[in-house]
Amino acid sequence: GLPTDEITSVLCARDGSLWVATPEGLARIGTDGTRRFTAEDGLLDKVLYSVQQDSRGTIWVGSRFGRLFRWDGERFTTQTPEIPQPRRAIWCLAPGADSTLWAGTSRGAIQYRDGRELRVVGKDQGLSNDDVRSIWDDGKGTVWIGTSYGLNRLNGTNITVFTTVTNVEAPIEVVIALHPDPDGGLWIGTMARGLFHFQDGHFRHFSAADGLPSDSIDSIQEDRYGNLWLGTGRGLARLSRDTLGGVLSGRVPGLAVEVMDRRDGLRTDEFTGTLQPTSARDSEGRLWFATSAGLSTVDPSKLFTNKKAPRISIERIGLEGAERYTHLRGTDADSSQPVVIGPTTEFGHTPAPAG
């Protein structure tokens, strides 16, 4: 089994295996079973925060103490056998362009190639904050960096900082999840300010007031049908593809949100946040989410939503204390006789059986 139920990061590798990082070590789940990795396998640190795969297919693991480990197919190696000083936790890992790897740390964003540092991007270089919690490299020269205070867009050496949005009261802070959408936009999850969307220089903001179960957006994943899934502080939310485009264009007034929680089989309503990646999609389309109570998985192809409204059955209507109709079911009543509903109208029905 897994080293512990507390999951810090999850990755679906290209070979179909599932890599799971925890504060008690690392595990790989494959067709040959589950394998746990320890110091005997080269993992010098036990508290692991992020696991990622670069464009070459190499598996990387980042630790609480700032060490970066590479899997060579047999064991893990590190270019930093000593704990980096000053200490810098690796909160997230993200694949970069040209076979590079980005690490978001407590002391800036670090770009690596083959395990060697290429550059560090922090507050001294123009970043809004040194504490980097999420990164997305679009592979075309733009790198988005989410920090504990603000979102940053890196183009070469130029950095654009976003901390406030016009006509939006909520500031952009503690950015913990970034996910591109197919239309060229970017979804932005924050720890307490809800969900943002950026496209063509404009932001849109969504919060619990718009139907989200929580303003804590811990993970963002898209299924093969284009629906957006959010791991939040109060359950798993599914945003329908049918309405997302309409909402973003202004043609549809509000989000269509379906929320799943413990009543739907989740072991907990709280998903892992502040670390990345904490969600993944495997080759069969199943979605995986890191939580404090183990891995949660959902297969969108097997979900069915009953959109048919239940049949209404009114059994009795009383007007001003006098019974007017009894046992009205469906269209049994004479629809040509209007009923005026007054302040003392009473409705009678039989409660549905429990369950």
Side-chain angles (χ1 to χ4, degrees):
L2 299 178
T4 178
D5 282 342
E6 184 179 354
I7 310 301
T8 53
S9 186
V10 59
L11 168 74
C12 288
R14 295 175 194 171
D15 64 359
S17 60
L18 196 68
W19 292 79
V20 184
T22 80
E24 296 291 335
L26 182 74
R28 177 188 180 274
I29 305 173
T31 55
D32 54 349
T34 300
R35 176 180 175 182
R36 293 169 61 172
F37 300 91
T38 65
E40 295 182 357
D41 302 293
L43 278 179
L44 303 180
D45 297 335
K46 185 168 66 172
V47 183
L48 307 174
Y49 284 162
S50 184
V51 56
Q52 186 58 269
Q53 187 172 36
D54 66 19
S55 61
R56 294 178 177 176
T58 302
I59 301 295
W60 299 88
V61 181
S63 82
R64 172 188 177 185
F65 299 112
R67 281 192 279 219
L68 184 65
F69 300 95
R70 173 169 51 189
W71 174 245
D72 64 9
E74 297 292 334
R75 61 183 288 106
F76 283 95
T77 59
T78 178
Q79 275 68 43
T80 53
E82 301 297 326
I83 296 176
Q85 297 295 333
R87 186 176 297 178
R88 58 191 186 198
I90 296 180
W91 304 124
C92 69
L93 295 171
D98 301 323
S99 302
T100 61
L101 182 78
W102 285 96
T105 81
S106 53
R107 295 182 179 274
I110 305 173
Q111 188 180 30
Y112 293 91
R113 177 178 284 119
D114 295 326
R116 295 178 175 83
E117 288 188 16
L118 295 180
R119 61 171 170 167
V120 177
V121 181
K123 199 168 183 178
D124 290 343
Q125 289 73 38
L127 216 59
S128 61
N129 192 281
D130 277 333
D131 192 34
V132 176
R133 295 288 177 158
S134 55
I135 299 176
W136 180 63
D137 187 329
D138 71 358
K140 302 176 182 178
T142 298
V143 181
W144 291 89
I145 301 174
T147 74
S148 288
Y149 186 71
L151 176 68
N152 303 260
R153 182 174 59 194
L154 174 66
N155 292 99
T157 58
N158 297 319
I159 298 177
T160 304
V161 176
F162 304 94
T163 54
T164 59
V165 180
T166 304
N167 299 326
V168 176
E169 294 184 1
I172 303 177
E173 57 185 14
V174 196
V175 178
I176 56 178
L178 297 171
H179 187 83
D181 72 21
D183 298 323
L186 181 69
W187 291 102
I188 304 145
T190 69
M191 190 166 70
R193 301 296 185 180
L195 179 71
F196 291 85
H197 182 268
F198 179 84
Q199 189 165 19
D200 300 328
H202 300 285
F203 283 93
R204 285 288 305 273
H205 178 242
F206 305 96
S207 67
D210 300 294
L212 298 180
S214 169
D215 284 334
S216 175
I217 310 300
D218 301 315
S219 54
I220 306 174
Q221 193 60 233
E222 185 178 338
D223 65 26
R224 58 175 55 175
Y225 308 105
N227 302 307
L228 203 65
W229 294 76
L230 309 176
T232 79
R234 294 184 176 177
L236 182 63
R238 174 183 176 272
L239 278 59
S240 170
R241 174 189 179 183
D242 296 336
T243 58
L244 272 178
V247 170
L248 294 176
S249 65
R251 293 181 287 104
V252 178
L255 295 173
V257 184
E258 182 180 358
V259 180
M260 303 173 194
D261 52 29
R262 293 184 183 182
R263 294 168 295 183
D264 301 291
L266 293 177
R267 294 180 63 185
T268 178
D269 294 341
E270 296 183 6
F271 287 71
T272 300
T274 73
L275 307 170
Q276 291 298 330
T278 54
S279 66
R281 188 177 81 189
D282 66 24
S283 59
E284 297 181 4
R286 292 172 299 190
L287 307 182
W288 298 84
F289 296 89
T291 79
S292 59
L295 280 176
S296 289
T297 183
V298 59
D299 188 344
S301 68
K302 296 182 179 179
L303 292 180
F304 173 74
T305 302
N306 184 7
K307 298 181 179 181
K308 185 177 180 180
R311 184 171 182 265
I312 298 175
S313 177
I314 301 176
E315 298 177 337
R316 176 180 58 81
I317 298 179
L319 297 177
E320 304 296 337
E323 192 170 273
R324 177 67 177 273
Y325 293 115
T326 60
H327 302 293
L328 304 183
R329 297 182 182 276
T331 59
D332 293 344
D334 183 357
S335 60
S336 66
Q337 298 296 321
V339 177
V340 179
I341 306 300
T344 58
T345 301
E346 299 176 355
F347 293 88
H349 72 284
T350 303

